[in-house]
Amino acid sequence: MDGLMPRGRYTSSALILTGGGARAAYQVGVLRAIAELLPAAAPTPFRIVCGTSAGAINAASLAAASNDFGRAVATLESLWSRLCIGDIYGADFLHFIQRFGRWLLSRVSTSPRHSPGALLDNAPLARLLSREIDFAAIRKGIDEHFLDALTITASSYRTGMSVSFCAVSDEFPLWQRSQRIGVGAEIGTAHLLASSAIPFIFSPVLIGDEYFGDGAMGQLAPTAPALHLGAERILVIGAARTGNKTNDGPDAGFDSGRAPPSPAQIGGHVLASIFTDALGTDLEKVRLVNIAARQIPPERLAASPMPLREIALLVITPSIPLETLALAHLDALPLLLRLMLGGVRGIRTGGAGLLSYLLFESAYCKALIALGYQDAQERREELIRHLSVAASTHPGA
């Protein structure tokens, strides 16, 4: 908890949106439920917005319309509801075969001409982000005091550091620790592409003189950017069930006869480890600090040389396994990708974890949005209590 803002500085509420590929559509449903709790045209109830991987795309879109939270959420819902795989990565037969051949060649060749490639080309995503997000409006929202900070986290391939690119008000100090750093930046398409560049699936992104990849890789403390910027109230919207990975039970992911896990199962577990393990550990740490803070008398807490404080924490994650939901929408997957995933046993029960991350299709995304909305409605009273202080003190309220 070191490096937090000094006591006496203005502190606020934060929204943390984690990664998960196509699963991030779930976050939009939760956000829609939150928007319904606010007055029409109300500004964002979150002074700090932090995004990682696919959650970074949602975070930037929200920050670009911080003066009208309902409009920002409606824009996000429209985007995810009409999404197709071709908007994210090239999926036509010729394109995919060329890309796959290049990827295989990069794995076996020692020639410097054959630099490490990626399985999928996310150039369509770059065009989508440039078209759909008004990046200049992020700074405008900060200058007009609707927002204090937007952070987008990516992993540096040069240093191994978790780098949080921060569009932030000048009065907020940034940070540097052994495994993480906050740096000032005007957020743009490159930052979102870098944060969501899943290893081997999407190419690393050059920012300055460093290459960056998916922000979830080295992010040991997903809540750290919000805490460093002074948040006292944090809402985390995840894209996987906390404490669960890619199956319903201890044996659900494995074929009968004790067969070894399929390549799709292994890929799904790797992605689950990247996107969920650090979050669960970090949330447990915050809860333990809260317990410790409650045991310390207020006068001693105020005199502590370390700015220790209790954090109001609310976490919303999917109530059902998203693998099951993905399998129900398998027919929406282009034939080529269906054949590819079928070859690694990724379109059957137990192997659909990988599918749930890559199925950027409107029917599946709409189902995720509906699930997020339903889960948030079931936590409605908790959301009202969590947001009440932030809403009542927001300068635009």
Side-chain angles (χ1 to χ4, degrees), residues 217-236:
M217 284 191 295
Q219 193 177 35
L220 301 179
T223 63
L227 293 173
H228 282 303
L229 291 167
E232 287 191 334
R233 309 178 67 80
I234 296 178
L235 171 63
V236 180

Side-chain angles (χ1 to χ4, degrees), residues 18-143:
T18 65
R23 292 169 172 235
Y26 172 87
Q27 298 169 347
V28 180
V30 179
L31 293 169
R32 175 156 66 94
I34 293 172
E36 291 179 358
L37 297 175
L38 303 176
T44 176
F46 306 105
R47 300 293 303 179
I48 300 164
V49 180
C50 305
T52 302
S53 195
I57 297 171
N58 290 340
S61 186
L62 289 177
S66 57
N67 64 325
D68 189 336
F69 187 73
R71 177 168 60 86
V73 173
T75 299
L76 261 181
E77 184 170 6
S78 173
L79 173 61
W80 281 96
S81 295
R82 53 187 161 84
L83 207 60
C84 66
I85 283 177
D87 293 322
I88 307 300
Y89 50 84
D92 61 276
F93 182 81
L94 180 60
H95 185 102
F96 184 81
I97 291 300
Q98 290 176 339
R99 193 77 183 185
F100 186 64
R102 196 176 304 130
W103 183 83
L104 285 177
L105 185 60
S106 73
R107 294 289 159 305
V108 300
S109 174
T110 58
S111 170
R113 293 191 306 112
H114 301 138
S115 59
L119 184 59
L120 300 175
D121 178 13
N122 62 351
L125 175 60
R127 294 190 291 270
L128 178 73
L129 296 175
S130 298
R131 183 174 69 248
E132 296 288 340
I133 299 178
D134 183 359
F135 291 100
I138 296 173
R139 174 53 58 181
K140 182 179 179 182
I142 293 173
D143 291 342

Side-chain angles (χ1 to χ4, degrees), residues 240-266:
R241 295 191 298 164
T242 305
N244 292 273
K245 291 187 180 181
T246 59
N247 48 40
D248 287 343
D251 299 318
F254 295 88
D255 295 325
S256 60
R258 298 189 178 275
S262 69
Q265 286 175 258
I266 294 172

